[in-house]
Structure formats: C-alpha cells, structure tokens
Amino acid sequence: MSEDCIFCQIVDGEIPARVVYEDADVLAFLDANPLAPGHTLVIPKDHHETLDDVPPESGEMVFAALHSLTPIVEDVVDADASNVAFNNGEAAGQEVPHVHGHIIPRFDGDGGRPIHAIAGERPDLADDELDDIADDISAAAGE
Ligand code: 5GP
Ligand code: ZN
C-alpha cells in the first residue's frame, strides 16, 4: 500500500468506489469520470506504478480479470466493442501512478477513435531500422 495513492485507498475501502469485481489479487471498479457508460478500471491490489513493475503472477491475474470482465461490461451496457488499454507511464498519459487497465465500451458511431489516435506523429522508419528493432526486441525477450 502506498499511503497517498488513491487506488490503494480504494483497495483499502478508505475511498468509496463502484466495485464490480474483486478477488485476492485484483480489484475492478467503475471509472469516476467515465469516457463511456461501463468504463471500468482493473488494478492489481498491490501497489505497482507501471506494468514493468508488476510481478508476472500479478500481471496474469490482471489480464485474466480484463479478459473475463470485458465481454460482461460490453453486454451490460449493450456496447458494440471496446478498447482495452493501459496508459503505461507518465509520458503515455498515466495520471494515477498505480497500474490500471481501462475497459472502455465503444458504440457504433460514437465519434471515438481507434487506439492508433493516441500516439504522436508516425515515425518514418526504414526497413533496416525495423529489422534492427525487431531483432533487439526478440533478443531481449529471449533473455
Ligand atoms: P490514467 O490517465 O491514469 O490512465 O487514468 C486514471 C483514471 O482514473 C481516469 O480515467 C480517472 O477518471 C480515474 N480516476 C481518478 N481518480 C479516481 C477515483 O478516485 N475513483 C475512480 N473510480 N476513478 C478515478
Ligand atoms: Zn496504489
């Protein structure tokens, strides 16, 4: 628990939230300032700032909850689709420094945009640069 973290305070029941799912490792609750009806946040109960800080077992539990809750949330609000995403770090727009996955229901013609709309200008990468990046990632992932 991190004393001044609002999501830790929600886990501890010190701040009220509309909790929609809870197990030993994970809590899910409605976003207080929703981008759509049913906008849900899924967090590990333990305080970790970004995905990189989350231990593998906890990450698996968060993904499992996202996986099971997403179709339920969609059904309940009669959504046509959803965006499921993390703002992973401050430069990516993360405001609450306790890692959380967003389930944002989407509706045909809702005027929203795809996940591609969140990044800045597209880089112009040559084939050999893409090859190098792929090689570096695959080498590091195999370590
Ligand atoms: P971030 O930008 O960090 O990915 O998103 C933080 C999200 O947390 C925002 O969508 C915001 O509306 C939501 N949020 C911030 N404070 C609270 C709170 O006290 N309760 C709940 N339920 N959601 C919150
Ligand atoms: Zn926290």
Side-chain angles (χ1 to χ4, degrees):
M1 152 111 197
S2 171
E3 289 300 324
D4 49 6
C5 170
I6 42 175
F7 286 178
C8 283
Q9 290 171 37
I10 287 175
V11 171
D12 277 12
E14 289 164 24
I15 293 182
R18 292 185 173 87
V19 172
V20 299
Y21 174 78
E22 179 169 17
D23 63 32
D25 306 289
V26 171
L27 191 73
F29 49 93
L30 294 188
D31 194 294
N33 193 14
L35 295 171
H39 183 171
T40 298
L41 303 175
V42 178
I43 67 169
K45 285 185 170 177
D46 290 341
H47 182 85
H48 303 291
E49 190 162 333
T50 63
L51 275 176
D52 336 18
D53 303 322
V54 176
E57 322 76 57
S58 187
E60 284 165 23
M61 298 309 289
V62 169
F63 184 80
L66 285 167
H67 181 248
S68 60
L69 282 171
T70 296
I72 294 170
V73 171
E74 285 187 13
D75 274 359
V76 165
V77 299
D78 210 13
D80 298 301
S82 55
N83 292 107
V84 180
F86 291 78
N87 290 323
N88 192 35
E90 212 175 323
Q94 183 178 357
E95 288 181 358
V96 177
H98 181 134
V99 65
H100 50 280
H102 292 257
I103 302 172
I104 304 170
R106 296 294 305 271
F107 301 86
D108 289 338
D110 65 10
R113 302 180 62 199
I115 207 159
H116 295 70
I118 61 181
E121 214 170 292
R122 281 183 195 242
D124 188 14
L125 293 167
D127 282 350
D128 58 341
E129 290 174 286
L130 292 169
D131 290 342
D132 287 348
I133 293 168
D135 288 347
D136 289 349
I137 294 172
S138 94
E143 278 168 10

